Amino acid sequence: MENFDLSMIWALIIGFAVIMYVVMDGFDLGLGILFPFAPDEDARDVMMNSVAPVWDGNETWLVLGGAGLLAAFPLVYSVFLPALYIGVFLMLAGLIFRGVAFEFRFKSRRRRIWWNRAFCWGSAVATFAQGAVVGSYIQGFTVEDFVYVGDAFDWLSPFTVLTGLGLMAGYALLGATWLILKSEGYVQDWAYRITPKLLLAVLAVFAIISIWTPFVDPGVWSRWFDHIQLIWVLPALSMLCAFTIFRSVRRRDEGLPFISTLGLFTFTYLGLVASKWPVIVPPDYTIWDAASAPESQLFLLIGVLFVIPVVLAYTAWSYWVFRGKVKVGEGYH
């Protein structure tokens, strides 16, 4: 029973870290995806300046979630790493290129176009890889006794390509609504114009994935359709958030589009968790199958319970200090 309780607590901690990373790092990755389509170089400066003070802190949640997963559910790594080596490598390479572009773009004049490309392609590759990894989790792995026995490219399939493209559209939507919140003038007008188009793209991809998923994983079909489930509340709330985005953009609200997009991502994420729970290594292994020893989980939990409030406080303080609009010609570099 102790192991059951600790495994549940760790699952909640890791799940919280994942959604915090998605919603917080998602908008700056989305800005990178939108970079080539910006009106001009001044608009690109505003886009990058709007996230420059907080982007590296956002990635703290990725480190926390990954480290927590290794500590609390080490057997997951015996499957995920061999199955997703290439996808994870692409994600990390993209994040590195994006991080380098952050620092060198403002210091370069003659070769700025190359740093623009590094920022864009790094963001796009990292986002696509994350989406493909999520798709791989949905479709499951070929596992025998917690050993991956599939191919190195099993993670790449038509379904995972779709989930990768879907996450790119979703992050771009987050980036556009963030830009509505943080910019003004013609940059904000551009963000208002592209937001409804991005939302339609996201809804179209999400609809296809939702129809496709029960055929990829029969367990999801059973979870969704065998009985009347409260799980259907989550997509309903997602659609409510989508409607709110449309309406708030037409009314030219500034904060509500971004908040509603965060809600859209959160409810979609909760829908995925509810569809697979308590499986952590599809198709068969649960969080209790993959859990480390209770003593290890308890020892590490004590440290994490001190770390999370510090990270939350630092994050909140950073966003509070750098609140307000980012104007053309002004920045933090």
Side-chain angles (χ1 to χ4, degrees):
M1 186 65 179
E2 181 184 9
N3 194 31
F4 171 85
D5 293 337
L6 289 172
S7 296
M8 286 283 291
I9 292 170
W10 270 107
L12 291 173
I13 291 172
I14 294 170
F16 176 71
V18 169
I19 189 58
M20 287 293 290
Y21 170 75
V22 167
V23 299
M24 299 189 71
D25 204 38
F27 62 79
D28 56 65
L29 286 167
L31 289 178
I33 294 170
L34 293 173
F35 225 53
F37 310 102
D40 54 29
E41 200 66 17
D42 285 338
R44 294 186 185 96
D45 288 343
V46 171
M47 294 166 72
M48 189 167 279
N49 282 327
S50 72
V51 296
V54 297
W55 73 272
D56 48 352
N58 293 341
E59 293 185 349
T60 303
W61 297 103
L62 179 63
V63 176
L64 180 61
L69 187 66
L70 176 62
F73 305 105
L75 292 181
V76 172
Y77 274 73
S78 66
V79 176
F80 277 29
L81 286 185
L84 302 172
Y85 269 137
I86 298 175
V88 172
F89 169 79
L90 289 174
M91 181 188 73
L92 295 177
L95 293 176
I96 290 171
F97 270 92
R98 185 188 64 142
V100 172
F102 257 114
E103 300 302 325
F104 282 91
R105 180 181 177 273
F106 287 97
K107 297 176 175 62
S108 176
R109 290 294 179 264
R110 296 175 56 187
R111 304 183 186 277
R112 174 171 286 195
I113 186 174
W114 293 105
W115 296 118
N116 288 344
R117 291 172 179 172
F119 184 56
C120 171
W121 284 103
S123 301
V125 169
T127 302
F128 177 82
Q130 290 177 19
V133 167
V134 173
S136 300
Y137 172 73
I138 295 173
Q139 72 181 9
F141 306 96
T142 306
V143 183
E144 294 180 4
D145 297 325
F146 256 112
V147 176
Y148 179 68
V149 294
D151 187 79
F153 288 94
D154 282 355
W155 66 276
L156 191 62
S157 68
F159 181 75
T160 61
V161 169
L162 181 63
T163 56
L165 295 175
L167 192 62
M168 289 178 67
Y171 278 2
L173 176 63
L174 266 174
T177 55
W178 169 260
L179 200 58
I180 289 173
L181 176 65
K182 296 293 289 184
S183 66
E184 58 185 14
Y186 76 98
V187 180
Q188 188 184 59
D189 292 337
W190 173 71
Y192 274 122
R193 288 196 302 271
I194 64 173
T195 295
K197 300 174 183 177
L198 292 170
L199 180 57
L200 288 175
V202 169
L203 294 178
V205 174
F206 279 10
I208 296 171
I209 292 174
S210 297
I211 294 171
W212 199 341
T213 296
F215 297 96
V216 170
D217 185 350
V220 173
W221 179 282
S222 175
R223 183 70 61 91
W224 286 4
F225 298 111
D226 282 358
H227 305 284
I228 297 176
Q229 298 281 350
L230 291 176
I231 193 174
W232 288 100
V233 173
L234 296 172
L237 292 172
S238 297
M239 291 303 99
L240 178 61
C241 289
F243 172 75
T244 304
I245 296 170
F246 269 122
R247 187 179 64 176
S248 60
V249 167
R250 292 186 62 183
R251 294 166 50 183
R252 296 186 68 86
D253 293 329
E254 294 191 338
L256 191 56
F258 181 66
I259 294 173
S260 300
T261 306
L262 295 181
L264 176 63
F265 266 82
T266 301
F267 291 125
T268 302
Y269 171 76
L270 291 176
L272 171 62
V273 172
S275 298
K276 304 291 285 188
W277 180 262
V279 173
I280 195 170
V281 180
D284 299 318
Y285 295 98
T286 68
I287 60 172
W288 301 287
D289 296 324
S292 60
E295 296 81 6
S296 298
Q297 288 187 335
L298 180 59
F299 175 77
L300 294 165
L301 179 62
I302 295 172
V304 168
L305 292 179
F306 281 100
V307 169
I308 289 180
V310 173
V311 175
L312 286 172
Y314 159 80
T315 301
W317 178 249
S318 298
Y319 279 86
W320 174 256
V321 169
F322 294 102
R323 66 192 183 278
K325 298 289 187 179
V326 178
K327 300 179 180 180
V328 174
E330 299 180 359
Y332 305 120
H333 279 71

